[in-house]
């Protein structure tokens, strides 16, 4: 599925099953909540924090998909084509960061 197809599928789902979009501010709060769930998994699986029984049922892939879902909702309701936005972001990074990471001593192995 392309990013554009994902945006279209989400829009269709929101306007049928979901009835309507939550407000932009509500979606921003939901996005923050979902990122927190990703952080919780990361801290337990890849970090030093121990897990509780309830943590074992959460899947990183599912939580990342939740983040993407809400992010694409925000893009849809603010009129942003994320394919175009991501392409422009790559252009920006290719100019700004062309040598930046190669010259970072912290990344040398």
């Amino acid at each position: 599925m392309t990013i554009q197809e994902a945006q279209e599928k989400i829009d269709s789902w929101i306007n049928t099953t979901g009835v309507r979009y939550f407000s932009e501010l509500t979606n921003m709060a939901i996005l923050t909540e979902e990122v927190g769930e990703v952080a919780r998994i990361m801290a337990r699986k890849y970090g030093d924090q121990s897990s509780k029984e309830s943590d074992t049922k959460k899947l990183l892939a599912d939580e990342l998909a939740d983040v993407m879902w809400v992010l694409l909702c925000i893009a849809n309701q603010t009129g942003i084509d994320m394919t175009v936005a991501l392409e422009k972001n790559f252009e920006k990074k290719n100019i700004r960061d062309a040598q930046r990471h190669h010259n970072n001593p912290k990344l040398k192995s």
Side-chain angles (χ1 to χ4, degrees), residues 45-62:
K45 185 169 183 176
Y46 301 101
D48 301 321
Q49 196 168 17
S50 58
S51 296
K52 297 186 231 174
E53 179 64 33
S54 60
D55 295 329
T56 61
K57 297 176 181 131
K58 298 280 185 174
L59 299 174
L60 181 58
D62 188 47

Side-chain angles (χ1 to χ4, degrees), residues 87-101:
E87 287 170 349
K88 286 181 181 178
N89 197 266
F90 268 106
E91 289 173 18
K92 175 183 77 175
K93 284 177 175 43
N94 283 332
I95 293 167
R96 182 190 68 196
D97 300 331
Q99 292 300 312
R100 178 175 164 216
H101 300 297

Side-chain angles (χ1 to χ4, degrees), residues 13-86:
W13 188 92
I14 292 291
N15 287 303
T16 56
T17 307
V19 180
R20 68 170 179 81
Y21 284 92
F22 295 133
S23 72
E24 294 86 349
L25 186 56
T26 298
N27 273 337
M28 184 62 231
I30 293 169
L31 178 61
T32 303
E33 180 183 311
E34 295 298 348
V35 169
E37 291 179 18
V38 169
R40 182 178 183 90
I41 291 171
M42 296 297 292
R44 283 154 180 77
K45 185 169 183 176
Y46 301 101
D48 301 321
Q49 196 168 17
S50 58
S51 296
K52 297 186 231 174
E53 179 64 33
S54 60
D55 295 329
T56 61
K57 297 176 181 131
K58 298 280 185 174
L59 299 174
L60 181 58
D62 188 47
E63 298 305 330
L64 287 171
D66 285 345
V67 168
M68 184 176 234
W69 177 281
V70 180
L71 185 67
L72 294 179
C73 283
I74 293 169
N76 282 348
Q77 65 193 135
T78 58
I80 295 170
D81 179 331
M82 284 304 296
T83 300
V84 171
L86 191 56

